[in-house]
């Protein structure tokens, strides 16, 4: 790759997603305008509801924490060339495992309980997504379809266990697992109203970025993603890497379930399954599967989600407005994939011209 | 339902499963036929779940405003056609992943339907008519099981017609060639991109009609929890049916029956495992994929251009 190509790629990586977001916002504005709402009022309220005050920042960050973790479940396998969309299942089963373990260890030391819960959530989540990777590698089953099917199987298992064997008899209206002890709850980051899931997510993003970009394992993973045949010729054992990226991604999504249980709801019930796993796919694609880019993108998407309530109250828009915007955003982002490398930026030509031959 | 089951005891279970299979399978049938057509042309449209919900909403709203459920079915199909066109057009851009675009359109279709469908949750729209095939029986359960909707009949006719068409019609040949090898299709002078776009659009039309069945016949009203993932299942179902329209028909009946088993057992007092029965179609499809795939050969019957095969 020449230096001017590098420049163009960098500008592409920033400019094209920004352009796609702008196009999506314009389309959404047009949509609400047809509905009879002033689009600029909607934009203003969206900003206010997402990032306008300390309270809305906290709300946005709170929503971004599970999105960062579930996005990693798509991003890591994507670097090895796999499209895995199974985060929702890993989140459900990870959260359920955390709740079950947390209840079983009732009375034990809080720190110990939290640690065991975290391990359980990560292992279950990791194993569930690794299953899709294993099927891909050893049986040639398409990992996208397999991971999607596993999501629905996981949700059914979750519902079955929460409403049956693991149900707290005291939960009448909303079937739930028994609440975990107070000292096993994960608190907020001191000085903020945001739980530690955000810090975990950011740290994991940093760690996975280092793993992918700065280690030989990461180099192997990227090679597999770029050219499977070359990777095979280089003597890489593909199966191991496929399992590792899927398991690590699934473990991250499982941790999202842990924090939803141990930091937000205190028990596992239907409140866990609000689609963080599916929105995480959007975050990962928007970030082009780059772990570092996932952090700001998740905060942005979390902010859009947080602003939904305000749009509903002030402008009388249905709460699905957020879903519409997310859908438009998703489609424009994916369509923009086609633009990479096709725009001739002026800067690269200057850089290229100045470079000694 | 519970009274009927009491009178018949356990015999009510197979009867309810048959009736349920017919009722529940209709949306499966339409969505899977649509997906089958799209996939035979070499594209996967995962967005049919959104198309189905959009069809359900637009069909219901149209039936309410015009008073004609058939106008609703038509509008539902046209809404699906638009979504199919959108998917087909976006995926025709180079380097755009059709599976991912499908997920995006699933989100968009669901969001739009919920957004626009808010005012239609309460009012009651006229439903689609049914044919009573159970008139000969005095048992109300038998009559209920054999109440067949006209759309089901249309779907049953569609399946063999599509099979014949794919095999014998010139356009069917074009679709199959484009789906099996874009290079061969180009060499023969067939328009690859255009064929894929209209095959996706036509598939969207069928999925939209399947959605209209949900809101206009069974369960027969518009609500946000209307679809229980039929659009997703249909993608799995097409794989299960090995891309054969008649296979889609049998698989729809099977999946419909599996879906009806949970509620039927619940009505005779078996409440254990209700959710596990819901997962049966997904587990079944996964099992078929595991058995039928292997790293060295693709699924038998799979169109060669399909991303799902490797």
């Amino acid at each position: 790759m020449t230096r001017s190509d590098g420049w163009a790629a960098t500008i592409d990586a920033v400019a094209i997603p920004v352009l796609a977001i702008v196009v999506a916002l314009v389309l959404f504005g047009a949509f609400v305008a047809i509905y009879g709402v002033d689009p600029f009022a909607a934009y203003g309220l969206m900003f206010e509801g997402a990032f306008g005050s300390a309270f809305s920042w906290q709300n946005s960050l709170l929503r971004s924490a599970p999105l960062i973790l579930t996005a990693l479940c798509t991003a890591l396998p994507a670097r090895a060339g796999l499209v895995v969309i199974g985060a929702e299942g890993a989140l459900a089963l990870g959260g359920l495992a955390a709740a079950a373990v947390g209840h079983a260890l009732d009375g034990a030391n809080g720190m110990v309980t939290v640690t065991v819960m975290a391990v359980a959530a990560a292992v279950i989540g990791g194993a569930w997504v690794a299953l899709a990777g294993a099927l891909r590698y050893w049986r040639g089953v398409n990992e996208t379809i397999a991971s999607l099917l596993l999501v629905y199987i996981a949700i059914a298992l979750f519902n079955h266990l929460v409403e049956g064997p693991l149900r707290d008899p005291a939960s009448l209206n909303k079937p739930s697992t028994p609440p975990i002890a107070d000292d096993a709850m994960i608190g907020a980051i001191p000085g903020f109203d945001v739980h530690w899931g955000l810090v975990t997510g950011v740290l994991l993003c940093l760690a996975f970025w280092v793993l992918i970009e700065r280690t030989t394992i990461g180099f192997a993973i990227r090679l597999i993603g770029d050219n499977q045949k070359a990777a095979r010729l280089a003597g890489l054992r593909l199966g191991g890497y496929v399992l590792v990226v899927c398991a690590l991604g699934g473990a991250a999504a499982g941790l999202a379930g842990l924090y939803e249980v141990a930091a937000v709801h205190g028990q596992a019930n239907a409140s866990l399954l609000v689609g963080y796993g599916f929105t995480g796919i959007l975050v990962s694609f928007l970030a082009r599967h780059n772990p570092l880019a996932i952090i700001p993108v998740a905060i942005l998407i979390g902010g859009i989600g947080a602003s939904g309530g305000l749009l509903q109250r002030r402008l009388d828009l249905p709460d699905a407005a957020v879903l519409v915007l997310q859908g438009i955003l998703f489609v424009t982002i994916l369509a923009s994939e086609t633009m990479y490398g096709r725009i001739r930026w002026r800067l690269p030509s200057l850089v290229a011209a100045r470079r000694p031959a | 339902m519970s009274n009927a089951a009491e009178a018949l005891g356990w015999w009510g279970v197979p009867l309810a499963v048959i009736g349920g299979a017919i009722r529940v399978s209709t949306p499966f049938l339409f969505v899977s036929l649509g997906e089958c057509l799209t996939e035979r042309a070499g594209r996967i449209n995962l967005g049919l779940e959104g198309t189905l919900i959009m069809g359900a909403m637009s069909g219901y709203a149209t039936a309410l405003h015009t008073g004609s459920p058939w106008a609703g079915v038509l509008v539902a199909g046209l809404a699906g056609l638009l979504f199919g066109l959108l998917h087909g057009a976006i995926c025709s851009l180079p380097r755009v992943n059709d599976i991912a675009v499908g997920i995006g359109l699933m989100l968009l279709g669901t969001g739009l339907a919920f957004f626009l469908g808010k005012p239609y949750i309460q009012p009651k729209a006229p439903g689609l008519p049914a044919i009573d095939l159970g008139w000969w029986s005095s048992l109300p359960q038998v009559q209920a099981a054999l109440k067949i909707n006209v759309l089901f009949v249309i779907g049953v006719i569609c399946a063999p017609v599509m099979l014949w068409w794919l095999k014998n019609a010139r356009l069917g040949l074009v679709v199959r060639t484009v789906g099996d090898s874009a290079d061969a299709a180009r060499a023969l002078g067939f328009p690859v991109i255009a064929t894929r776009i209209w095959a996706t659009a036509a598939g969207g039309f069928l999925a939209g009609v399947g959605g209209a069945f949900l809101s206009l016949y069974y369960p027969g009203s518009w609500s946000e929890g209307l679809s229980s993932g039929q659009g997703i299942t249909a993608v799995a179902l097409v794989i299960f049916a090995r891309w054969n329209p008649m296979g889609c028909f049998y698989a729809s009946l099977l999946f419909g029956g599996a879906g009806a088993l949970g509620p039927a057992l619940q009505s005779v007092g078996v409440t254990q495992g209700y959710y596990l029965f819901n997962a049966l179609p997904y587990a079944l499809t996964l099992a078929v994929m595991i058995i039928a795939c292997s790293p060295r050969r693709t699924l038998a019957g799979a169109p060669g251009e399909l991303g799902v095969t490797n």
Side-chain angles (χ1 to χ4, degrees):
Chain A
M1 192 191 274
T2 66
R3 205 163 128 209
S4 65
D5 280 348
W7 261 106
T10 312
I11 300 175
D12 270 5
V14 177
I16 293 177
V18 169
L19 200 70
I21 291 172
V22 170
V23 169
L25 281 175
V26 169
L27 288 174
F28 180 71
F31 176 74
V32 296
I34 294 169
Y35 191 74
V37 166
D38 175 15
F40 293 100
Y43 295 146
L45 276 181
M46 270 163 54
F47 183 76
E48 196 185 326
F51 309 112
S53 66
F55 173 76
S56 47
W57 263 102
Q58 278 178 357
N59 203 350
S60 301
L61 290 176
L62 205 59
R63 283 165 187 266
S64 67
L67 292 182
I68 292 176
L69 290 167
T70 52
L72 286 171
C73 186
T74 299
L76 274 181
R79 297 308 286 271
L82 303 171
V83 182
V84 168
I85 53 179
E88 186 86 353
L91 184 153
L93 293 182
L96 186 65
V101 168
H103 176 66
L105 291 180
D106 208 8
N109 176 297
M111 274 309 285
V112 175
T113 311
V114 170
T115 311
V116 177
M117 281 165 72
V119 170
V123 167
I124 295 279
W128 194 254
V129 178
L131 191 56
L135 290 177
R136 173 75 179 89
Y137 184 67
W138 280 289
R139 296 298 307 168
V141 175
N142 177 272
E143 78 283 356
T144 312
I145 307 284
S147 59
L148 187 64
L149 292 171
L150 284 171
V151 165
Y152 285 90
I153 295 172
I155 290 174
L157 271 176
F158 178 90
N159 285 328
H160 174 71
L161 291 171
V162 167
E163 303 211 358
L166 293 179
R167 180 174 180 171
D168 178 11
S171 63
L172 294 175
N173 294 327
K174 189 174 196 177
S176 307
T177 59
I180 56 174
D182 279 343
D183 65 342
M185 286 291 284
I186 300 170
I189 305 165
F192 293 91
D193 219 4
V194 180
H195 61 72
W196 285 98
L198 184 65
V199 175
T200 309
V202 170
L203 289 179
L204 277 182
C205 281
L206 292 174
F208 285 155
W209 183 81
V210 171
L211 175 79
I212 296 281
E213 303 291 343
R214 292 287 182 268
T215 66
T216 40
I217 297 174
F219 180 72
I221 291 170
R222 280 182 289 143
L223 180 60
I224 294 170
D226 287 342
N227 192 334
Q228 243 190 54
K229 262 196 196 126
R232 221 184 278 270
L233 280 176
L236 288 177
R237 291 170 41 139
L238 268 59
Y241 289 102
V242 165
L243 278 188
V244 165
V245 287
C246 289
L248 285 177
L255 287 178
L258 166 81
Y259 284 103
E260 286 304 295
V261 165
V264 182
H265 300 292
Q267 54 193 179
N269 57 33
S271 305
L272 256 65
L273 306 177
V274 290
Y276 283 129
F278 292 114
T279 316
I281 305 168
L282 166 64
V283 171
S284 181
F285 269 93
L286 193 48
R288 304 207 82 221
H289 316 304
N290 177 342
L292 287 188
I294 282 177
I295 302 167
V297 169
I299 294 173
L300 180 74
I301 300 292
I304 291 174
S307 67
L310 210 57
L311 287 179
Q312 203 180 348
R313 265 175 285 135
R314 298 263 197 89
L315 295 177
D316 207 24
L317 284 171
D319 52 354
V322 170
L323 217 53
V324 173
L325 177 55
Q326 282 181 353
I328 297 176
L329 202 55
F330 209 157
V331 172
T332 55
I333 288 292
L334 290 169
S336 76
E337 288 274 321
T338 193
M339 316 254 297
Y340 285 89
R342 294 168 103 196
I343 307 175
R344 300 177 128 215
W345 303 104
R346 286 183 61 83
L347 184 63
S349 61
L350 286 177
V351 173
R354 250 189 256 134
R355 211 167 39 157
Chain B
M1 189 70 211
S2 64
N3 280 341
E6 265 166 43
L8 277 179
W10 279 89
W11 281 109
V13 174
L15 207 55
V17 169
I18 292 169
I22 293 171
R23 261 196 319 270
V24 180
S25 68
T26 311
F28 280 133
L29 179 56
F30 277 94
V31 183
S32 64
L33 284 178
E35 182 70 24
C36 183
L37 181 61
T38 306
E39 291 192 11
R40 286 303 280 262
R43 288 247 178 87
I44 297 177
N45 184 359
L46 261 189
L48 287 188
E49 175 71 16
T51 309
L52 183 88
I53 298 174
M54 198 59 204
M57 192 282 298
S58 57
Y60 196 76
T62 308
L64 186 75
H65 287 304
T66 62
S68 158
W70 291 108
V73 171
L74 184 69
V75 168
L78 291 177
L81 186 89
L82 281 179
F83 266 80
L85 272 180
L86 192 61
H87 184 279
I90 293 174
C91 295
S92 298
L93 299 167
R95 280 184 308 167
V96 174
N97 181 316
D98 54 347
I99 293 182
V101 171
I103 304 166
L105 285 177
M106 189 194 310
L107 207 64
L108 182 62
T110 313
L112 275 179
F114 288 2
F115 187 104
L116 300 170
K118 266 272 146 38
Y120 301 106
I121 291 179
Q122 282 299 330
K124 184 84 194 98
L128 288 164
I131 308 165
D132 269 317
L133 288 182
W135 48 268
W136 46 268
S137 169
S138 57
L139 284 170
Q141 307 65 339
V142 175
Q143 288 172 359
L146 290 179
K147 221 176 176 113
I148 309 252
N149 185 271
V150 181
L151 271 186
F152 177 74
V153 179
I154 296 176
V156 171
I157 298 169
C158 270
V161 168
M162 191 189 279
L163 179 67
W164 178 88
W165 179 84
L166 278 171
K167 240 186 197 147
N168 298 304
R170 188 188 140 76
L171 261 180
L173 173 76
V174 173
V175 167
R176 280 188 295 131
T177 314
V178 165
D180 278 332
S181 164
D183 288 338
R186 256 179 234 115
L188 288 167
F190 296 161
V192 174
I193 301 272
T195 304
R196 287 187 177 157
I197 291 179
W198 78 249
T200 315
F205 184 92
L206 287 171
V209 171
F213 177 89
L214 284 177
S215 61
L216 292 174
Y217 186 72
Y218 182 79
S221 66
W222 160 248
S223 73
E224 295 190 352
L226 187 63
S227 162
S228 45
Q230 282 98 335
I232 304 272
T233 316
V235 177
L237 199 148
V238 174
I239 300 167
F240 190 78
R242 301 288 178 90
W243 294 273
N244 177 335
M246 274 317 277
C248 289
F249 168 62
Y250 300 128
S252 297
L253 278 182
L254 186 70
F255 279 38
L261 195 57
L265 284 175
Q266 209 174 26
S267 71
V268 290
V270 181
T271 53
Q272 279 290 313
Y274 175 79
Y275 288 101
L276 296 183
F277 281 116
N278 280 348
L280 213 55
Y282 304 112
L284 224 61
T285 308
L286 195 59
V288 167
M289 288 179 75
I290 294 170
I291 296 165
C293 293
S294 109
R296 257 161 278 286
R297 78 192 143 78
T298 58
L299 277 169
E305 290 279 319
L306 215 55
V308 71
T309 51
N310 65 67

